[in-house]
Amino acid sequence: MVKPFIIGTRNAREMLAIGAKILREGGSAMDAVEATIRAVEENPMDTGVGLGGIPNLLGVPQMDASIMDGRTLRTGAVAAVEGYLHPISIARKVLEESPHVLLVGPGAELFAEAIGFERSELLTDMSRTAYRAFVEDTIEGLDERFDERRKEYYAWYIENYRLREWYRKLSDAQQGTVNVMALDGDGDICSGVSTSGTAFKFPGRVGDSPIIGAGNYCDNRVGAAACTGRGELAIRLSTARTIISYMEHGMTVRDACIQAMRDIHALKETGGMNCLAFDRHGNTMSASTRRESIHYYMDIDSEEPEERRGVWVKA
Ligand code: GLY
């Protein structure tokens, strides 16, 4: 029997102890994953997740999140949600209390309100400053009437800067998403993802994080996989489900992650991709198309997170 454990991306390092404690006390993988991600969402210094997440083109933080139960394959996800600190918990409620899998935008917010979540301000001084700097740097003729002339500026921006080209530049610069996944004492697996998505994204843009199979997937019979990076690429390749599928068909978790990153390279697109995964035996791995890959691990006997090296899969 595999000792209960939890793993996460670098930005979850400090918070993994929360999940490990839950597992140590006999809690479920889902409780451990949710609590760990909630702590990341509350960290104002993390500019890619929750509070302090860099806003969209309109200056509004819009969040995506998903959570999956590997025993039942039930999932809950929310996309383009504004004004709630814990999209991961709303996603869990979608899984547990709705007949749906994915709720978006105003509908997801209505659901959150109906089940009792409090609204909250997600902009911080730091993310406001980043937004202002972005706008000042990219929109010509910006003046002190910025607020009243926003629409005019955006129209200019989209027309002149060409959204696709702008997006290509951004996709290399900003990606911050948290992946956390755990296996509990009953052998149940859970995987969760939360993000504010690409910095200054077009309003309504949804990345891979809430798309089950793209940015998140788990199955008790196989393992768990999730992604960070340029979500559009993981959506096109169903990367998380593909890693699970590679393992199902006999690859090791290491080879499955490497092959998934090779698949990303084969798209010949800009923007990097990273994955995090484990198999049901407790072997963990991460891989990246653009940097040294590391992830963090804790089991119920760990005193602190252990740094584990993954693979940099070069083009
Ligand atoms: N991988 C996160 C996103 O693209 O939004």
Side-chain angles (χ1 to χ4, degrees), residues 175 177 195 197-198 205 207-209 228-231:
Q175 298 296 340
T177 296
T195 188
T198 301
R205 177 266 184 188
D208 58 324
S209 306
T228 63
R230 188 177 171 205

Side-chain angles (χ1 to χ4, degrees), residues 15 22 68 103 148 239 256 260 265:
M15 293 77 174
I22 290 171
M68 183 157 189
L103 295 176
E148 69 191 68
T239 299
H265 281 306

Side-chain angles (χ1 to χ4, degrees), residues 154-168:
Y154 294 131
W156 179 93
Y157 185 71
I158 290 163
E159 191 182 331
N160 291 282
Y161 205 87
R162 298 203 304 275
L163 197 61
R164 209 175 161 80
E165 189 179 317
W166 158 78
Y167 193 83
R168 232 188 327 263

